[in-house]
Amino acid sequence: MSKIRAGDSSGVDAAPKRDFGERILAMAERLAAHSDSPSGLECTVLRPAHRATAADLLAWMGEAGLSAAIDGIGNVVGRLPAANAAVRTLVIGSHYDTVRNAGKYDGRLGVLAGLAVAEELARRNVALPFHLDVVAFAEEEGVRFLTAYLGSCAFTGRFDPEWLERHDDDGVRLADALAENGFAPTAIPSLSRRSDLAAYLEVHIEQGPVLIAEDLPVGIVSSIAGAVRHAVVITGVAGHAGTVPMSLRHDAAAAAAEIVLLVERRCAAAPGLVGTVGRLAIPNGALNVVPGRCEFTLDIRAVDDATRDAASADVLAEIDRIAARRGVSVDIREIGRSPAVACAPRLAAAFEQAIGRAGLRPFHLVSGAGHDALQFDGICDMAMLFVRCGNGGVSHSPLETVTAADVDVAARVLLDTILVLAESWRSGTPVITA
Ligand code: HGY
Ligand code: MN
Ligand code: MN
């Protein structure tokens, strides 16, 4: 059967009355059954639940008519090929790993929306002028090895071999975890698709309350906040909880507590600036021992790098003063840094026009959360479409929720956008150049 020329788009209502939304939510439900925790969803990189999730995604991509494979770090890549093998690729992606006690839609919604839309394009036998890859990135959250964006960094040629030496809470090195999963750590640089990328689109839950307040199902991301992250170890003097006078203590946990409040105070000082101590532990702590060691993480972000870096510098300087006053020592290691980036206006405009064709009010908003799209900045145009979250916008929580109707709108906007990008290329006014 001859291919239908791309661009024969009759807008977002062209898709058959198959409810993308219900199908995508049903697939998200299936994936959420794979967890490494008996209580709540936990799918961290290279563990059993992660492998099972990748296997489902690989199978579904094949059933959708894509040629699919798992690459050398666990990214699941499904391709809808163009007739001309020499053209570049439009990537639709997001991540399939999760935080601990996670929601079902962070990352996965974007993967499954891309999968559902690619399946529809294959069903219609649409001849796109560019390859279309749906990519489920293996790791974005940074939960297991404290290094975020492993999957999209490998995909965009930004993987730092130093990360192979990072280890998890059980002391397992990333290199060893990769090898245990049949991946070759030294081959990761060869996974880069940097030279082949025409553009990147990501659909993601908003993870905030703005679209609720605007009463809109979808929004266009204007920019993505940049984060700087540190791992901090405070070393004080362990002692007997009953015999060491308060005036003689060098309590590592008390120093950490003062720092947590410092981060909260400093990062409340500017709009769009946020600071979080997300992990805090007293290794081998005991009820009756003055903590001699305390370990925690710092995550400071803002919509612009200058605001973020000023806050980070202030916090680090104050940590030193607190440590000196309390007679504890501090080891601070930067473990991640991503710049604030703007989405490509031309590509964001393609989303905006599709939203307008759907009869909706286009609305632009900033993303306080980081996303895999960050890693495409400077390599190809990238843009993001947010989907309204319920429950006040809560995310990184089992309370994360979306409606099938909103997800359906997002999928249809994505489908229409892809068809219009193809049409623009065919008519000689390409928004992306394949
Ligand atoms: O931390 C973030 O912003 C994202 O959820 N990884
Ligand atoms: Mn997340
Ligand atoms: Mn995410």
Side-chain angles (χ1 to χ4, degrees):
M1 186 173 125
S2 68
K3 291 262 185 188
I4 299 170
R5 264 188 348 188
D8 295 345
S9 150
S10 49
V12 289
D13 58 359
K17 292 306 169 208
R18 300 168 59 188
D19 188 336
F20 287 123
E22 293 295 351
R23 289 196 57 242
I24 289 165
L25 295 192
M27 289 191 280
E29 202 64 36
R30 278 278 305 278
L31 295 184
H34 303 305
S35 177
D36 289 320
S37 163
S39 58
L41 173 55
E42 180 175 329
C43 177
T44 54
V45 70
L46 300 171
R47 289 196 187 282
H50 190 260
R51 285 195 293 272
T53 303
D56 275 356
L57 289 169
L58 183 70
W60 295 347
M61 286 183 183
E63 290 160 16
L66 309 182
S67 58
I70 296 178
D71 76 3
I73 197 168
N75 296 325
V76 188
V77 184
R79 163 157 293 194
L80 197 56
N84 174 358
V87 295
R88 293 194 297 164
T89 304
L90 170 61
V91 177
I92 314 289
S94 199
H95 59 98
Y96 67 92
D97 69 310
T98 71
V99 294
R100 295 192 173 103
N101 200 25
K104 299 170 188 166
Y105 308 109
D106 177 0
R108 282 124 184 254
L109 188 81
V111 171
L112 298 171
L115 173 56
V117 164
E119 181 183 50
E120 178 61 19
L121 290 165
R123 191 190 69 80
R124 287 192 203 175
N125 208 14
V126 173
L128 292 172
F130 36 73
H131 299 304
L132 180 68
D133 279 6
V134 177
V135 183
F137 293 112
E139 196 286 341
E140 185 266 1
E141 298 287 4
V143 169
R144 183 175 176 190
F145 294 100
L146 290 188
T147 42
Y149 308 112
L150 291 176
S152 45
C153 281
F155 194 85
T156 56
R158 290 183 150 147
F159 185 87
D160 181 345
E162 181 269 323
W163 297 341
L164 293 169
E165 295 310 310
R166 297 282 175 90
H167 57 80
D168 66 9
D169 292 342
D170 302 322
V172 177
R173 290 165 59 242
L174 172 58
D176 298 328
L178 285 163
E180 282 163 20
N181 281 267
F183 299 129
T186 53
I188 290 178
S190 68
L191 304 179
S192 172
R193 298 278 308 282
R194 196 182 186 93
S195 59
D196 158 40
L197 301 174
Y200 176 78
L201 296 177
E202 182 166 356
V203 175
H204 201 287
I205 53 172
E206 178 202 339
Q207 300 179 297
V210 174
L211 291 176
I212 293 176
E214 293 292 333
D215 191 22
L216 289 170
V218 294
I220 305 136
V221 176
S222 52
S223 64
I224 305 170
V228 62
R229 293 165 165 171
H230 291 86
V232 184
V233 177
I234 294 185
T235 305
V237 178
H240 192 298
T243 60
V244 181
M246 295 307 285
S247 61
L248 298 181
R249 292 187 176 195
H250 303 287
D251 183 332
E258 190 172 348
I259 292 166
V260 172
L261 294 177
L262 153 71
V263 171
E264 183 185 54
R265 191 174 56 253
R266 177 57 180 85
C267 293
L273 173 65
V274 289
T276 310
V277 174
R279 288 174 60 122
L280 178 65
I282 301 171
N284 307 313
L287 171 71
N288 56 358
V289 177
V290 176
R293 181 181 173 96
C294 191
E295 302 170 356
F296 59 88
T297 56
L298 283 181
D299 174 314
I300 296 178
R301 1 180 149 188
V303 292
D304 68 279
D305 292 349
T307 301
R308 179 200 66 194
D309 292 342
S312 182
D314 288 349
V315 166
L316 297 186
E318 186 59 26
I319 287 175
D320 285 343
R321 283 190 285 274
I322 290 170
R325 175 164 41 82
R326 287 176 169 272
V328 299
S329 64
V330 181
D331 174 62
I332 300 180
R333 188 165 48 97
E334 183 174 301
I335 55 174
R337 177 180 289 267
S338 51
V341 296
C343 294
R346 290 194 316 162
L347 210 45
F351 271 143
E352 180 171 351
Q353 289 147 23
I355 290 170
R357 278 195 296 278
L360 294 165
R361 171 169 61 94
F363 179 80
H364 297 259
L365 69 168
V366 170
S367 173
H371 299 288
D372 289 304
L374 280 167
Q375 302 309 330
F376 290 79
D377 181 63
I379 297 174
C380 66
D381 279 356
M382 61 85 175
M384 290 192 71
L385 184 70
F386 269 175
V387 185
R388 174 168 46 188
C389 272
N391 283 339
V394 67
S395 180
H396 283 187
S397 155
L399 297 177
E400 204 174 84
T401 183
V402 289
T403 67
D406 288 355
V407 173
D408 198 71
V409 169
R412 291 173 190 279
V413 164
L414 178 63
L415 174 63
D416 186 35
T417 300
I418 294 168
L419 288 169
V420 168
L421 291 177
E423 167 65 7
S424 73
W425 190 85
R426 196 173 60 83
S427 60
T429 54
V431 174
I432 64 173
T433 48

